[in-house]
Amino acid sequence: LNELKEFIQYINSYGKVDLFSPITKALLIALLCQLTAEICRDFGENSIASKVELGGKIAIIYLSIPLIKEVLKSAGQIL
């Protein structure tokens, strides 16, 4: 457990963007959307379930925009 803590601190100190907060948020969004979609499917609402999944995907993409910008900026500096 201590090694994991040190690894997380190393990753956070290396970059300007905190990676684990968006990853955790994306994971929670995915889990909640999956659970909600399964409940909708259990009630026979397949179209609502697919829209819930689509909304979750859009939310995760929106959440990852700052990370994508930072990666592209870092790649530009390396090249």
Side-chain angles (χ1 to χ4, degrees):
L1 186 63
N2 195 23
E3 291 88 14
L4 180 63
K5 221 184 225 186
E6 290 174 8
F7 177 72
I8 290 172
Q9 289 174 351
Y10 171 75
I11 294 295
N12 285 339
S13 68
Y14 182 69
K16 296 176 185 174
V17 177
D18 182 19
L19 296 176
F20 290 98
S21 177
I23 290 173
T24 306
K25 288 177 186 176
L27 238 140
L28 289 175
I29 289 170
L31 288 173
L32 288 174
C33 287
Q34 184 67 33
L35 177 66
T36 305
E38 289 301 321
I39 291 171
C40 290
R41 283 193 186 92
D42 287 345
F43 284 104
E45 299 293 337
N46 291 328
S47 63
I48 295 174
S50 65
K51 287 173 180 50
V52 166
E53 289 176 338
L54 178 64
K57 291 173 186 176
I58 291 170
I60 291 172
I61 290 171
Y62 179 74
L63 180 70
S64 65
I65 288 174
L67 291 175
I68 294 169
K69 284 181 181 179
E70 192 65 32
V71 167
L72 291 175
K73 186 170 31 168
S74 296
Q77 290 174 354
I78 291 173
L79 296 176

